Amino acid sequence: MASTALSSSAPHAPQRSPAEFSGRSRRRRPAWLIGGAVLVVMCALGSAFWWSHTSGRVAALAVATNVPAGQVITDRDLQTVQVAADSSVSLVRASERNTVVGQTAAVPLTAGSLLSAAMLGAPAPPATGQAVVAVSVDPGRFPPALTAGSTVTVVAAKSGDTVAGSATPGAAPAAPERSGQRWPGVVLAVDPAVDGRGGAVVTLRMAAADAPDVAAAGPVALVQRHPGEN
């Protein structure tokens, strides 16, 4: 019986030539290049955005809490903010914080305002024709939101008169000849009364001619008004 030589019929995986691999690599390379270029552009844009928002700006001191004139400034009264270097305000740099703490406010400092060197030092004396007077105001006889800088009318209060509240039990009646009199003024400071009943000691700047009458008026009420009103 004749034997027949068997030949292998199993298929062989096609062998790819180096040229084929090179062609596939060239097809993938543009995608990597495009991705890298996009990343570079994004980084450049981010750097430009950061630079535009930080260049030309300096760290300066601002007021964090309301500080009455004559009060010593503490560290909690200050905060650091970034402001334009070409600001027209005479700025106090944040690096000077330690030298500012312990100084006295020359004028009432309002929270959120930038600090300047002119705001520091001994309070300036009243201008010619002006005087500073402190009045004790019972609870209910002044707006609760009254702050330094407010324009007010001081009213000699009758017994039982109130402003935004009920009468204070035991309050002494105003002198009959002064009851109802009115004097304009500007608030320099508002401090809680030491008796803890909710009243306040309000420091006012007003005409020098009116200050003695206000000091002698007895119980008063404060009416806050628009600065432009007479």
Side-chain angles (χ1 to χ4, degrees):
M1 182 176 180
S3 61
T4 305
L6 298 177
S7 62
S8 175
S9 60
H12 293 279
Q15 298 295 321
R16 292 186 173 87
S17 67
E20 291 177 301
F21 280 109
S22 177
R24 177 172 295 185
S25 177
R26 282 195 299 269
R27 287 193 298 271
R28 291 177 179 175
R29 190 174 301 165
W32 286 99
L33 292 175
I34 293 173
V38 171
L39 181 61
V40 170
V41 171
M42 291 179 64
C43 290
L45 291 175
S47 298
F49 178 82
W50 177 86
W51 176 257
S52 66
H53 283 71
T54 58
S55 62
R57 304 178 76 84
V58 297
L61 291 178
V63 182
T65 61
N66 292 331
V67 181
Q71 181 170 304
V72 174
I73 300 171
T74 65
D75 187 69
R76 69 181 184 85
D77 297 324
L78 304 173
Q79 60 181 334
T80 300
V81 296
Q82 297 291 328
V83 296
D86 61 350
S87 174
S88 59
V89 179
S90 177
L91 302 175
V92 178
R93 299 297 180 104
S95 58
E96 302 176 54
R97 188 177 190 127
N98 290 337
T99 64
V100 172
V101 173
Q103 292 196 50
T104 303
V107 295
L109 305 181
T110 305
S113 60
L114 288 174
L115 191 68
S116 69
M119 298 177 179
L120 307 174
T128 302
Q130 297 284 302
V132 175
V133 62
V135 295
S136 178
V137 190
D138 292 323
R141 295 186 187 271
F142 65 97
L146 198 66
T147 60
S150 299
T151 300
V152 298
T153 296
V154 183
V155 182
K158 298 177 182 179
S159 179
D161 285 353
T162 62
V163 175
S166 58
T168 303
E177 67 275 12
R178 298 191 186 280
S179 178
Q181 282 190 269
R182 293 169 169 79
W183 305 273
V186 176
V187 176
L188 298 182
V190 180
D191 298 297
V194 295
D195 58 14
R197 294 189 297 112
V201 175
V202 181
T203 304
L204 301 166
R205 183 182 69 243
M206 58 178 46
D210 294 339
D213 291 337
V214 171
V220 297
L222 300 182
V223 179
Q224 186 173 3
R225 56 189 177 82
H226 190 276
E229 294 177 354
N230 296 322

